[in-house]
Each structure stands twice: as structure tokens, then as C-alpha cells.
Amino acid sequence: MNSLLYAKLAKTNLSKNRQNILPYWLSCIGTVIMFYIMSTLSLSEGLKKMMGKATIQIVMQFGVYIIGLFAVIFLIYSNSFLAKRRKKEFGLFQILGMEKKHLAKVLFFESLYLWILSVGGGILLGILCYKLLFLVLLKLTRFQGTIHFVFNWKATGNTVVLFAVIFLINYLKSLHQIHAAQPIELLHGEQEGEREPKTKLLTAWIGLLCLGLGYYLALTCQNPMEALGKFFGAVLLVMAGTYCLFSAGSIALLKLLKSNKRYYYQTRHFTSISGMLYRMKQNAIGLANICILSTGVLLVISTTSCLWFGMQEIIQTRFPHQIAVEVMSANGDGTALTKEEISSVRKQINNYLEEQQVSKRFERDETYWLAVAENKENWVGLTQELKGFEDGRSMIEFMEASEYERMTGKSADLKPGQVLVFTRKEEPYKYDTIQFGDTISCEVKHTENTQEDMVETTNVMYDTRIIVFADGEEAQAAYVAMTGRTPAGYSWKYQIDLIGDAKLETRIGQGIEKLVNQAQCDGYVEVRENNKVSLYQMYGSIMFLGIFVGTLFLMGAVMIIYYKQISEGFDDRKRFQIMQKVGMSRQEVRQTIRSQVVTVFFLPLVVAILHTVVAFPVTRQLMTMMNFPDSGIFLVATAVTIVVFAIVYLIVYTITARAYYKIVE
């Protein structure tokens, strides 16, 4: 046979198998479109000319890796469904006289056609969709720019190579399947797995243990840094537990029900349990994948949408005041910062504000010694050198009573050995004493003043405390007892809100920043209006990536659902006929099969919702770390996402169920 005949056979095969091939091809095109667009955005010359290009390009590059990894796993996994459905076809070709090497050539042309159509069609549609999605990105990130026709050769090359590798892997897997099996085995390949599955108690217990540990990590997070450390571990444990419980735990449960003779030998239970037992063996991995992908959709969409729609809360939390000056404990030359130097900078800023005839709506001015320490109930100190972001860290501000009185205009009225302790208003200090290291303990004076909202929530990474001492000597002694060293110098924080528009805020902020730089202080100036841009860039690009990843996960779940329904349709058609031959009515058979399909189909959705609910505490802490403290809004966003996804899931079931019943009947 010549190559032209193989090419014609491949074309005919693809046409006759379009019911199975078409969804796979559409998934390939969708994946190519997303990978090409994300790759083009990460390399876009237009973005490189805009302010804040670094943030969005980092997010886009991260998206390229995510989509590329997903494409490899998803398309190789999806191809296994096609290979199983076509075993009988391959076996028939061999019985009719086609050798394995001839069949390999037909498969080569099939893979080549699919690769060309998928990559070519995907890149073409990607180019057409690029402008629209670039508009969406500009809208989400509030970039100001123009849209030009873009054809990036490097992005195109990356796309062609990646999907060439994927299709090559699928082709080699198909070749191995053909060469490793005899024609008779291929003819009956679709019926593999009809033996009763074995009970794998060890796997079931491992799955239960992994799921329990993952849930425990997610439910016991107390602060953002702890959540950051536990999140990925919890995700891996829950994924492992899900796969084990779907593949082994479900079978163990059904076997347990089957062993109960009184329960099993009833009309409505006998056929249902037997059918479910068979289904779980064949579809356990597919159901687990649907569950994991559904959980991914719920988490990604709920968190990214909440971050985007809660931008005003994020901005207000991260930048509670229009202009903020924070100077560390040292000058630019490394010398300790003194009160006199702070006073000099303060005076220059006040003179500048008077010159500009600016009216202040709010002003906060505080000088203190700053230290980072471990915090355990009423004890603060160091048991080891702090490195990185450990749990239980606290930012401690040591303030003298005179400074507190100057800042607030209220009397501290402290006796020697007494302190005022300010924490976040929602977490008031509840102890009567506070211990610094192992040597100094002070009495905590509780007054109405200590309920003031003194501690800003701009830094959610650490617990923050402001401790006011009677004088500087006591403050310094406590500092030494806690840290083991004397304070290097004072820190200074200055915050103001102005009466005026955004342009005034930006102009005054630039003037204050110039004064701080001229004073050569080791510090920085934050202007809310200027930083809003970077926040919109970050969270807008994260939202854009979330839409992409959520769509990919949803497409993957729908694809697996479709193939699962088609596979079960062909299997149930034979069982449908056998059940009728042994005496069951058509209505009883339909009711039994429908009950099994609905139970198995919606099991991943129920488990995915459970995973999402359990993950709420850890994701809420991660949201707090991203300056979104309102857990009420996040709860509503998660609930809405679950409801919408459940509706979409039901629609997908309705559509795929039609194909299923058409095959069965």
C-alpha cells in the first residue's frame, strides 16, 4: 500500500469516528488558543512599553507554565478514552489482513491531521481572539495602551513544539497498545474490567488518612503565614486522598454493603449495588479527575473574582491613609536615627504643607523602637534566631509615654512598671501582665484608652502590638530583655489624609518623598493614589489568569464527563438488553440505570463542594495575606460560585445524558 492510501484511510477513520474525535479535537483547539494567547501576552512588546509591565508579565509567564502543564496531562489523559473506544476497530483491521506496521502508518496520518487542524485552527482563532482578550486584560488591569495586530513568532513556535510533543506521546502510546496486544484482545478491549473489582483496604485507609490530614491542615490554620506553609501540603494530601478513596474506598464501601445479605438481596438494592460496583472500577480515576478539576474551578473562580470585586476593600486595608511615611531605625549611611533627626524631617514636611496651603483631614505621627519577636500568650521574646516567615511572629513597637501623649493628646498616667498594650481592636489584649524575655514582667494597665483602634491593619503578615512605657529607660530595658540587644535607633511613622482631589494627593506625596530622600533617611513614602495602579495591575492580571485557568479546568471536567457518558452508554446498552432478557421490565431497567448514572455523576460534584467548604479557612487566611480581610464577602463569593457551578454542572449532565440515552436505546 502506498502512503496516499494510508492518508485516505486515516481521513475516513476520523470522519466515521467523529462522535468521539470531535470533542477531543475541539478540546485541543481550545487548549491551543489559550496557550498561544497566554504565551503571546507574556512576550508582548506592547506590554513592555507600559508602566507596571513587570507585574503582569510575571503573572502571564506563570500562566504559560500552568496551561502548558495542564495541556500535557489533560490531552494525554483524554486520548486514553479514544484509544479504548477504538480497540475493536484496530483489532478488526488486523483480522481483515492489515499488518501492525500498516496500522501504525494510518495512526500516524490521523495524528498528523489532528495536530495540523488543532494547532493551525487554534493559532488562527488565537490571533482573532487576541485583541478581544487584550481588551479584557487592559480593562481588568486599568492599563492605558493601544491594540495592534500581533503575530509573535516565538509564541507560535512554542505552541507548535509543545503540541507536537503531546501528539507524538499519544501516537507512541497508541502504537504500544497495538503492538502489545493480539487482534482478539483488541476486539474485546472495550469490555476490559468486567470482572468484579478486588477490595483494596490498604489503599482505602491510606486515602482516608490523606484526606483527614489534608482537612486537618486546612481547618487548623490560625494566621496567614501558617496558611501559606500548609496550603500546598493540604492540596497534595486531599488530591491523593481523593484518588485513593474514589478508586478503592468506594469499592470497599460497596463490597461492605454487598456482604450484608439482608440489605443486598432486595430488588432495589441488588441491581444498583452490582452496577455501581462495576461503574466505580471502570470510572474511579475519571470521577476523581472530575472532582479535582471541579474543586479547582470553585477555588480559582471564587478567590480571583473576590479579589477583583473587592478591590476597594483591598486598597483601603493596604493603604488606610492617602500618604504614609515610614522611616526605619537607621539613616542612609547606617548610623542610628535619633529623635532630633526625626523632628527635623517632621518640621520640613509641616513647612512644606503650609507653603502648599494644604488642609489635613487626618494626621498620625508616632516615634518608637521596633522589634520582631515571638509571641506566646502574655510572653514576648526570642527562643531562636528568626529566619523567614515563622508562625507566631509579632511586630512590637516600644513607645514612651511622652510620645503617646504627644501623638494622641491623652494622658498615659503610668506608674513605674506599668504599660499600656494596644493590639488590633478585634483581638484586645486580655492578660494583666506582659513578660519580656525571661527577666522583665510589667503590669498591664487596662483603661478605655487601650480599646482605641491604635494598630493599623496594613501589615497582615504579623500580629502587631504597641506597648507604651512610663519612660525611655523602662522601654529600653524591656527591649534588651526581649531581644538581647539595645535598640539601634528610632523608627518613625507619619500618615496624613488631605482635603482635595487625587491630583493634589499625588503632587503632595511626591513633594514629601523628595524631602525624605533629601534627609537621607532609610525609609519610604507610599501614596495611595499611585499604588492603586500597581494593585489593579496585580489583581487584574490574577483575575485574568483565574478566568483562563478556571475555563481550562471546566473544559477538562466537561470533556471527561462527556467521554464517561459515551463509554457507559456503550457498556449499558449490553446490560440493558441482558436485564430485559432475565425478566426485568423496560421501565425497571431504565430506572435502575438512571439511578446509577445520576449517583455516580453527581458524586464528584458533592465531594468537590465538600473540599471547597473545608478549604474555606485556609483560603480565607491566604486572602487576608493579600490584604482582603472581609471574610463575609469571601463567604458570599464562594457560595455564589458553588451555586453557579452546580447549575453549569447540571446543564452539562443534561446535554451529555441525551447522548448517553441515545446510545443505550
Side-chain angles (χ1 to χ4, degrees):
M1 288 192 282
N2 56 39
S3 298
L4 185 61
L5 180 59
Y6 297 134
K8 288 182 178 179
L9 276 175
K11 181 181 177 182
T12 303
N13 289 345
L14 292 177
S15 177
K16 289 183 177 180
N17 284 282
R18 58 182 175 272
Q19 183 182 32
N20 294 324
I21 298 293
L22 184 60
Y24 176 73
W25 177 54
L26 293 176
S27 298
C28 290
I29 289 180
T31 312
V32 170
I33 291 172
M34 292 188 175
F35 182 83
Y36 173 78
I37 291 176
M38 191 65 70
S39 184
T40 302
L41 285 172
S42 69
L43 300 169
S44 173
E45 293 296 327
L47 288 179
K48 291 179 181 179
K49 298 176 183 178
M50 298 179 186
M51 185 179 67
K53 62 183 182 298
T55 301
I56 188 169
Q57 286 194 314
I58 288 172
V59 176
M60 294 302 107
Q61 192 62 50
F62 183 63
V64 170
Y65 294 135
I66 291 178
I67 296 173
L69 180 62
F70 177 86
V72 173
I73 297 173
F74 170 62
L75 294 181
I76 292 175
Y77 177 76
S78 297
N79 186 70
S80 64
F81 282 95
L82 286 177
K84 182 180 179 182
R85 298 264 27 111
R86 300 189 65 190
K87 282 183 178 181
K88 186 175 181 179
E89 176 188 345
F90 296 151
L92 186 59
F93 276 140
Q94 292 188 53
I95 289 176
L96 292 175
M98 185 177 287
E99 297 180 20
K100 291 182 178 181
K101 63 179 181 180
H102 299 146
L103 195 55
K105 292 180 180 180
V106 174
L107 280 175
F108 171 78
F109 280 104
E110 288 183 10
S111 300
L112 182 63
Y113 289 154
L114 281 175
W115 175 70
I116 293 173
L117 292 172
S118 299
V119 174
I123 290 176
L124 180 61
L125 291 173
I127 293 172
L128 295 176
C129 295
Y130 177 82
K131 287 188 177 182
L132 175 62
L133 291 174
F134 193 74
L135 271 175
V136 173
L137 180 61
L138 292 179
K139 181 70 175 177
L140 291 175
T141 56
R142 298 195 174 185
F143 275 135
Q144 300 296 323
T146 56
I147 304 173
H148 303 286
F149 177 77
V150 174
F151 184 80
N152 191 296
W153 284 104
K154 187 174 181 180
T156 304
N158 292 340
T159 306
V160 170
V161 171
L162 174 66
F163 286 88
V165 172
I166 293 173
F167 276 86
L168 178 61
I169 293 172
N170 285 336
Y171 172 66
L172 294 176
K173 284 172 64 70
S174 299
L175 283 185
H176 174 73
Q177 181 177 289
I178 292 171
H179 284 281
Q182 297 300 318
I184 297 299
E185 293 176 357
L186 291 173
L187 279 174
H188 297 284
E190 294 182 15
Q191 299 175 359
E192 287 180 0
E194 293 203 13
R195 296 177 182 176
E196 185 174 292
K198 296 180 180 179
T199 305
K200 300 177 181 178
L201 287 177
L202 179 60
T203 305
W205 280 112
I206 291 174
L208 195 61
L209 178 63
C210 289
L211 195 65
L213 287 174
Y215 279 7
Y216 175 79
L217 291 177
L219 292 171
T220 56
C221 290
Q222 301 297 322
N223 57 69
M225 294 317 305
E226 185 181 2
L228 185 63
K230 291 182 177 180
F231 178 74
F232 292 104
V235 168
L236 293 176
L237 284 169
V238 169
M239 288 179 65
T242 301
Y243 281 112
C244 290
L245 287 178
F246 267 95
S247 60
S250 57
I251 293 173
L253 177 61
L254 291 170
K255 281 289 191 75
L256 184 64
L257 293 174
K258 186 177 179 180
S259 64
N260 187 337
K261 307 298 182 184
R262 188 175 298 177
Y263 177 87
Y264 180 62
Y265 289 110
Q266 294 185 24
T267 304
R268 66 180 184 275
H269 296 155
F270 181 82
T271 54
S272 295
I273 292 176
S274 299
M276 289 278 286
L277 199 59
Y278 172 78
R279 288 179 190 278
M280 292 309 296
K281 179 185 178 181
Q282 283 199 321
N283 299 304
I285 299 300
L287 293 173
N289 286 331
I290 294 171
C291 177
I292 296 299
L293 290 171
S294 299
T295 305
V297 173
L298 292 173
L299 290 176
V300 168
I301 298 299
S302 62
T303 52
T304 55
S305 61
C306 194
L307 285 173
W308 169 248
F309 291 108
M311 278 300 299
Q312 291 305 315
E313 287 80 5
I314 292 172
I315 291 170
Q316 192 60 41
T317 301
R318 177 61 185 85
F319 305 102
H321 304 290
Q322 292 177 340
I323 301 173
V325 180
E326 190 157 353
V327 177
M328 302 298 108
S329 58
N331 291 303
D333 58 3
T335 58
L337 187 65
T338 64
K339 279 188 175 182
E340 290 74 18
E341 290 171 322
I342 292 173
S343 179
S344 175
V345 177
R346 182 192 295 125
K347 185 177 180 180
Q348 292 178 46
I349 291 176
N350 287 333
N351 290 338
Y352 171 72
L353 295 176
E354 289 179 5
E355 290 173 4
Q356 298 296 320
Q357 298 181 343
V358 173
S359 298
K360 292 177 284 190
R361 185 172 61 250
F362 171 87
E363 183 178 36
R364 179 185 176 115
D365 181 354
E366 54 182 306
T367 303
Y368 50 89
W369 285 316
L370 180 66
V372 179
E374 297 174 65
N375 171 33
K376 298 176 182 178
E377 297 180 344
N378 67 330
W379 179 89
V380 288
L382 295 173
T383 58
Q384 58 183 350
E385 184 180 356
L386 292 176
K387 297 178 180 179
F389 297 114
E390 292 91 347
D391 299 333
R393 293 181 72 177
S394 291
M395 299 278 286
I396 311 294
E397 297 181 9
F398 292 77
M399 187 179 294
E400 301 170 25
S402 58
E403 177 63 22
Y404 168 78
E405 291 169 354
R406 185 195 64 77
M407 184 179 80
T408 64
K410 298 177 181 179
S411 173
D413 192 23
L414 292 174
K415 299 176 181 178
Q418 286 186 331
V419 296
L420 296 176
V421 178
F422 296 93
T423 60
R424 290 175 181 170
K425 199 169 185 179
E426 64 272 14
E427 301 172 0
Y429 189 79
K430 58 185 178 180
Y431 302 100
D432 294 326
T433 61
I434 183 168
Q435 173 120 4
F436 301 93
D438 299 325
T439 57
I440 294 181
S441 178
C442 296
E443 176 191 349
V444 177
K445 183 180 179 182
H446 295 282
T447 66
E448 292 182 2
N449 290 354
T450 58
Q451 300 304 315
E452 294 177 4
D453 194 7
M454 284 275 292
V455 178
E456 299 280 7
T457 58
T458 55
N459 193 333
V460 297
M461 307 289 278
Y462 316 100
D463 173 48
T464 304
R465 294 183 180 184
I466 298 176
I467 304 176
V468 181
F469 294 82
D471 55 47
E473 290 184 4
E474 288 193 4
Q476 186 171 1
Y479 190 102
V480 173
M482 187 185 78
T483 64
R485 56 182 175 83
T486 57
Y490 285 96
S491 295
W492 179 52
K493 189 183 296 180
Y494 179 69
Q495 299 163 319
I496 55 172
D497 290 327
L498 307 176
I499 299 175
D501 57 14
K503 291 183 179 179
L504 176 67
E505 176 185 335
T506 301
R507 180 168 60 83
I508 296 301
Q510 290 173 345
I512 292 176
E513 184 175 14
K514 185 177 180 181
L515 291 174
V516 172
N517 291 336
Q518 287 176 350
Q520 296 185 340
C521 295
D522 181 16
Y524 57 89
V525 178
E526 289 183 332
V527 182
R528 181 199 291 165
E529 191 62 29
N530 295 343
N531 283 280
K532 283 169 65 174
V533 176
S534 61
L535 285 180
Y536 272 105
Q537 291 167 5
M538 178 185 295
Y539 293 116
S541 55
I542 289 174
M543 177 65 176
F544 185 82
L545 180 59
I547 293 172
F548 257 61
V549 173
T551 303
L552 270 177
F553 287 173
L554 181 61
M555 183 179 69
V558 171
M559 184 73 180
I560 295 172
I561 288 169
Y562 175 80
Y563 278 122
K564 190 178 75 68
Q565 291 284 63
I566 296 299
S567 299
E568 291 192 354
F570 284 108
D571 293 338
D572 286 340
R573 181 168 59 183
K574 300 170 187 176
R575 271 185 255 132
F576 191 91
Q577 297 168 351
I578 294 171
M579 288 179 182
Q580 286 185 299
K581 289 178 181 179
V582 297
M584 292 182 70
S585 67
R586 186 179 183 86
Q587 183 178 0
E588 289 175 333
V589 173
R590 283 178 60 89
Q591 185 177 358
T592 298
I593 293 178
R594 182 182 294 111
S595 174
Q596 294 173 15
V597 171
V598 170
T599 301
V600 172
F601 192 90
F602 285 98
L603 182 62
L605 176 62
V606 173
V607 177
I609 292 174
L610 178 62
H611 287 349
T612 305
V613 171
V614 173
F616 183 81
V618 66
T619 50
R620 182 186 62 186
Q621 293 292 346
L622 292 174
M623 295 283 283
T624 302
M625 189 173 64
M626 299 182 74
N627 300 296
F628 189 85
D630 195 333
S631 58
I633 295 177
F634 182 44
L635 179 62
V636 172
T638 304
V640 171
T641 303
I642 289 173
V643 171
V644 172
F645 180 77
I647 294 172
V648 173
Y649 197 91
L650 181 62
I651 293 172
V652 172
Y653 166 74
T654 304
I655 294 173
T656 56
R658 291 177 184 175
Y660 167 82
Y661 286 115
K662 186 177 179 180
I663 293 170
V664 169
E665 296 179 354

